[in-house]
Amino acid sequence: MKDAGQKKILVTGGAGFLGSHLCERLLGEGHDVLCVDNFYTGSKRNVKHLHDSTSFELVRHDITFPLYVEVDEIYNMACPASPVHYQNDPVQTTKVCVHGSINMLGLAKRVKAKILQASTSEVYGDPTVHPQPESYCGTVSPIGPRACYDEGKRCAETLFFDYRRQYNLPIKVARIFNTYGPRMHPDDGRVVSNFIVQALTGKPITMYGDGSQTRSFCYVDDLIEGLTRLMATPDDFTGPVNIGNPAEATILELAEKILAITGSKSELVFRPLPEHDPKRRQPDLTLAREKLGYSPKVGWDEGLEKTAAYFDEILSTGRFDAMRRIHPERRVAT
Ligand SMILES: NC(=O)c1ccc[n+]([C@@H]2O[C@H](COP(=O)([O-])OP(=O)(O)OC[C@H]3O[C@@H](n4cnc5c(N)ncnc54)[C@H](O)[C@@H]3O)[C@@H](O)[C@H]2O)c1
């Protein structure tokens, strides 16, 4: 018999980095989890350990096409998240943000489900306000190489709020700031995974710019805590709400910390900063503290050690090269 508190929850992009941790968390809370993914950047390996649970189901599906299922809640996580992945097929990136959101919002409307959108701090672009509160409207180029993602995610937010205004749909919008942890894609070009892999393999650490640009990094467990807290808020709270960790560090400090944790002797090499790369990024968490009682718990040392241990394990067991190959299931849509 179904437990009164047990819900049927759809996680799109559930085989990705964040999605797989979210599926794990929701199963741990006793819910039925339907993980939907087209394996563009995610992998079955990320959720392999969840298959023993009879409450877990994995379905291959591209959310740019409609989906007909019965669920109580939807976490819309599907979208390639790193620049190297979302710029690989920018038209598909816009499609997953826009068509994907329309399909998931339509599903939520049909089955009267609550729906949460994984938005991003990239909606702030290269910010002129620091740290960024949710009221800041952002500085985004609509025509640059990052626009497929930044503008796609902005349009997705618009769609969520229009479904709220037009159909009174219970929506939640989370603006996720840089998150790291085990199961990050080894080849996604993001700074934490890049530096750790370079340090562990003794290769030079590639620094874009002079390393003085800052980022705030959030450990994955804290982020998932924020998302589940947001989903549990009353229907009159929609967000957008920033979720991340405000502890700010320069990229140079991050590299030095990783060298210390891994005991690596890798040297630092400097390369030009990519176009439209934001110089500073830090969440203002006032709203998250007030509405979600959220504050990140995992500090850099603990988070980076766990992440380095994950990459060390996949490197030493030979899984790393297999994970870096273009996945046979990864398709580029036309
Ligand atoms: N990781 C971060 O730091 C971060 C920061 C801001 C926002 N986000 C957002 O969080 C979400 C998850 O990010 P992540 O870091 O886990 O990225 P990820 O690339 O690891 O996960 C995305 C998942 O979505 C799947 N996917 C992509 N297109 C799809 C489609 N059309 N249909 C079905 N599945 C599809 C991928 O295969 C993958 O499993 C994304 O929406 C991203 O924009 C992440």
Side-chain angles (χ1 to χ4, degrees), residues 16-273:
F17 161 47
L18 297 182
S20 62
H21 285 271
L22 180 61
C23 289
E24 201 173 286
R25 166 72 185 256
L26 297 171
L27 281 173
E29 289 176 358
H31 300 297
D32 267 351
V33 175
L34 175 59
C35 168
V36 163
D37 206 294
N38 70 348
F39 307 116
Y40 183 64
T41 52
S43 155
K44 288 179 200 163
R45 268 185 223 98
N46 287 338
V47 289
K48 200 167 161 240
H49 60 298
L50 304 179
H51 284 289
D52 285 345
S53 167
T54 51
S55 301
F56 182 72
E57 222 177 321
L58 172 63
V59 172
R60 181 200 296 250
H61 175 79
D62 181 332
I63 64 153
T64 61
F65 297 95
L67 178 69
Y68 299 95
V69 288
E70 294 292 324
V71 289
D72 305 306
E73 290 180 353
I74 303 170
Y75 286 85
N76 190 32
M77 310 296 288
C79 183
S82 72
V84 63
H85 288 148
Y86 69 64
Q87 289 174 19
N88 179 50
D89 186 351
V91 173
Q92 173 68 8
T93 299
T94 303
K95 269 188 181 174
V96 69
C97 291
V98 178
H99 294 199
S101 292
I102 291 172
N103 287 329
M104 292 307 108
L105 285 160
L107 171 65
K109 179 170 164 262
R110 273 196 305 278
V111 300
K112 299 190 177 19
K114 205 175 350 175
I115 180 165
L116 181 148
Q117 166 68 354
S119 190
T120 169
S121 56
E122 301 291 339
V123 300
Y124 300 123
D126 191 358
T128 53
V129 171
H130 193 80
Q132 294 84 52
E134 291 82 355
S135 55
Y136 176 58
C137 286
T139 313
V140 175
S141 161
I143 57 168
R146 302 173 74 104
C148 57
Y149 184 74
D150 301 2
E151 295 287 26
K153 289 284 188 180
R154 285 166 70 94
C155 184
E157 286 199 10
T158 306
L159 285 162
F160 269 69
F161 279 87
D162 282 336
Y163 266 76
R164 169 75 180 178
R165 282 184 284 262
Q166 208 167 325
Y167 304 113
N168 200 27
L169 195 71
I171 62 146
K172 311 280 174 195
V173 174
R175 288 186 180 156
I176 301 173
F177 281 67
N178 268 342
T179 303
Y180 70 98
R183 294 190 221 128
M184 292 180 84
H185 197 286
D187 214 13
D188 69 3
R190 282 194 264 194
V191 64
V192 173
S193 44
N194 263 7
F195 284 4
I196 291 178
V197 171
Q198 288 166 338
L200 288 172
T201 52
K203 299 213 172 97
I205 295 210
T206 336
M207 188 81 53
Y208 293 98
D210 62 3
S212 64
Q213 69 274 34
T214 67
R215 290 291 182 276
S216 305
F217 299 100
C218 181
Y219 188 65
V220 61
D221 290 355
D222 283 329
L223 193 276
I224 299 301
E225 178 67 31
L227 293 184
T228 54
R229 280 177 183 243
L230 174 58
M231 187 61 109
T233 52
D235 285 356
D236 62 356
F237 182 68
T238 57
V241 58
N242 293 334
I243 304 182
N245 187 329
E248 198 182 14
T250 66
I251 297 296
L252 196 55
E253 285 168 331
L254 174 73
E256 283 162 356
K257 180 70 93 185
I258 288 172
L259 286 175
I261 284 174
T262 54
S264 170
K265 299 274 178 289
S266 291
E267 55 168 347
L268 304 181
V269 294
F270 293 84
R271 299 270 182 269
L273 208 57

